[in-house]
Amino acid sequence: MDKLKKYQQIIQQLLQEYAAISNQDPEIETQLIFDTEHHHYQLVNVGWKNDRRVYGCFLHLDIKDGKVWLQHNGTENEVGEDLANLGIPKQDIVIGFHSPFKRQFTDYAVG
């Protein structure tokens, strides 16, 4: 299996696991968004709570130039560690919400 397909499968598996446990509120739907052609993957909450609209992406990953970019992590989990534990080498994971300067001080890729 080539690297791109492997990374797609790992990301989709991880997001499906997160979606299954993310929200137990029946008024809020957690949507899995997989754009496998352009390599964008998101978890989004949509619904209503106490007469207020709930909408927002809480997890966003992309695959760019052979690396997995963690663009947004609105969870309390270490998603980079989860990806590494599922078989993506840390040198192929970019914590995109950290500045390029800060990335050099982590165990993950700079970009």
Side-chain angles (χ1 to χ4, degrees), residues 50-111:
N50 300 326
D51 296 324
R52 297 190 70 125
R53 180 71 171 152
V54 174
Y55 178 84
C57 172
F58 65 94
L59 198 52
H60 177 173
L61 295 104
D62 294 327
I63 301 174
K64 299 190 313 184
D65 300 322
K67 296 189 186 311
V68 174
W69 284 69
L70 178 56
Q71 302 287 19
H72 178 70
N73 181 6
T75 75
E76 296 178 358
N77 299 321
E78 293 291 333
V79 176
E81 287 296 319
D82 291 342
L83 292 166
N85 290 337
L86 289 170
I88 299 177
K90 286 187 176 183
Q91 66 265 20
D92 281 352
I93 300 170
V94 179
I95 310 300
F97 56 85
H98 286 167
S99 71
F101 175 77
K102 187 175 179 181
R103 290 181 211 149
Q104 67 182 321
F105 301 112
T106 71
D107 292 335
Y108 299 99
V110 174

Side-chain angles (χ1 to χ4, degrees), residues 1 11 25 27 35 44 53 64 74-75 111:
M1 174 185 310
I11 290 168
D25 188 332
E27 297 179 41
D35 176 356
V44 178
R53 180 71 171 152
K64 299 190 313 184
T75 75

Side-chain angles (χ1 to χ4, degrees), residues 21-63:
I21 62 171
S22 71
N23 196 338
Q24 304 304 317
D25 188 332
E27 297 179 41
I28 308 296
E29 176 185 3
T30 298
Q31 296 181 349
L32 290 158
I33 300 172
F34 296 160
D35 176 356
T36 57
E37 182 178 340
H38 299 102
H39 313 296
H40 305 295
Y41 307 87
Q42 296 183 352
L43 283 177
V44 178
N45 281 332
V46 179
W48 289 88
K49 184 69 173 174
N50 300 326
D51 296 324
R52 297 190 70 125
R53 180 71 171 152
V54 174
Y55 178 84
C57 172
F58 65 94
L59 198 52
H60 177 173
L61 295 104
D62 294 327
I63 301 174

